[in-house]
Amino acid sequence: MTDTAPRTDSWTVAGRTFNSRLIVGTGKYRDYAQNAAAAEASGAEMVTVAVRRVNLTDPNQPVLTDFIDPKKYTYLPNTAGCFTGEDAVRTLRLAREAGGWTLVKLEVLSDPKTLFPDMEETLRSLKLLTAEGFEVMVYCTDDPVYARKLEDAGAVAIMPLGAPIGSGLGVQNPINIRLIVEQSKVPVLVDAGVGTASDAAVAMELGCDGVLMNTAIAEARDPILMASAMKHAVIAGREAYLAGRMKKRLYADPSSPLAGLI
């Protein structure tokens, strides 16, 4: 009988272990209730939160924590909307004061049009945050050289973009992503650019430890169904990576031997 029991395949970042390799965002949803339903359907155990945009403390407005329970999900505060290292560091200090969060996602953006990370500012603020005891997961370009510098500076996870934030273009440079995976001793997660389930599967087939996404789910016609699709895509891509794909060939190779035909 074939074993159909689910595979246990966890991953660990900064001493925290997760079974789901999908991280989902908390922006662009119709409301917090839809966001919570999508998070549930995705099977995610970690949600990333833009500290500058999402209400975490004002009781006079809907509060995210009333819908997405911090006891059930690991909150990953991020610095979305920050364009300088000072802004990023200040934002994460506020997150630590508001919720005691020390596992954080750092992103320092270069310009509003592309939202590419400013790697010089990112590396500088990473060093400041690490010195203050933060455990920093870092959004970065798909540059293996800078990825190594970030890891050497104390990043607990490397998060290269697959494509520009919110573009839905999918993984544009699989070669560089694979190089980063091969060289890194900390988890590598594709962050940004996923548009549909096949994009998530591609990221996982490259050997990434996980995928972070927001727009792909929030802007789908049916966010709840898309969240479910992403859950299965991440699992399928991970299992395909572990299984090891067949070799690519230039010419056909028959499934059945040609010798001994009747």
Side-chain angles (χ1 to χ4, degrees), residues 156-171:
V156 299
I158 306 298
M159 307 178 78
L161 55 82
I165 291 172
S167 69
L169 292 172
V171 177

Side-chain angles (χ1 to χ4, degrees), residues 31-194:
D31 51 37
Y32 287 157
Q34 185 187 63
N35 192 169
E40 181 71 26
S42 75
E45 297 168 298
M46 183 186 294
V47 296
T48 185
V49 180
V51 178
R52 300 182 71 184
R53 297 174 181 158
V54 173
N55 181 31
L56 296 170
T57 57
D58 183 0
N60 297 316
Q61 301 291 331
V63 180
L64 180 66
T65 52
D66 290 340
F67 295 84
I68 297 179
D69 187 354
K71 294 180 181 178
K72 180 179 179 181
Y73 296 91
T74 295
Y75 271 49
L76 182 67
N78 70 57
T79 58
C82 293
F83 290 86
T84 68
E86 284 76 17
D87 279 349
V89 171
R90 187 182 309 111
T91 297
L92 292 178
R93 285 171 178 162
L94 290 172
R96 181 167 57 185
E97 291 176 11
W101 294 296
T102 56
L103 179 65
V104 296
K105 177 192 163 189
L106 172 65
E107 55 182 87
V108 184
L109 305 176
S110 59
D111 67 88
K113 183 176 181 180
T114 68
L115 299 181
F116 281 138
D118 181 328
M119 292 310 302
E120 185 176 0
E121 283 290 280
T122 297
L123 181 59
R124 185 172 69 87
S125 49
L126 167 65
K127 292 176 180 179
L128 293 172
L129 290 164
T130 300
E132 293 188 19
F134 285 96
E135 298 157 314
V136 189
M137 301 171 68
V138 186
Y139 168 63
C140 59
T141 57
D142 55 2
D143 178 351
V145 176
Y146 247 115
R148 185 182 295 113
K149 289 181 178 182
L150 294 171
E151 184 173 349
D152 290 345
V156 299
I158 306 298
M159 307 178 78
L161 55 82
I165 291 172
S167 69
L169 292 172
V171 177
Q172 293 295 296
N173 197 340
I175 295 173
N176 278 18
I177 298 292
R178 181 62 197 167
L179 289 173
I180 293 171
V181 168
E182 289 184 358
Q183 76 180 18
S184 300
K185 296 180 177 63
V186 297
V188 176
L189 302 93
V190 162
D191 177 8
V194 169

Side-chain angles (χ1 to χ4, degrees), residues 219-239:
E219 290 192 356
R221 186 171 62 250
D222 184 337
I224 314 306
L225 187 57
M226 183 60 82
S228 176
M230 292 299 188
K231 170 184 176 179
H232 295 296
V234 168
I235 293 171
R238 176 64 178 174
E239 289 188 350

Side-chain angles (χ1 to χ4, degrees), residues 6-11 19 21 178 181 201-209 233-246:
R7 179 189 296 272
T8 300
D9 181 38
S10 61
W11 68 288
N19 293 314
R21 293 175 179 270
R178 181 62 197 167
V181 168
V202 166
M204 296 307 299
E205 288 171 6
L206 291 171
C208 292
D209 294 277
V234 168
I235 293 171
R238 176 64 178 174
E239 289 188 350
Y241 170 73
L242 294 175
R245 67 157 292 141
M246 61 169 283

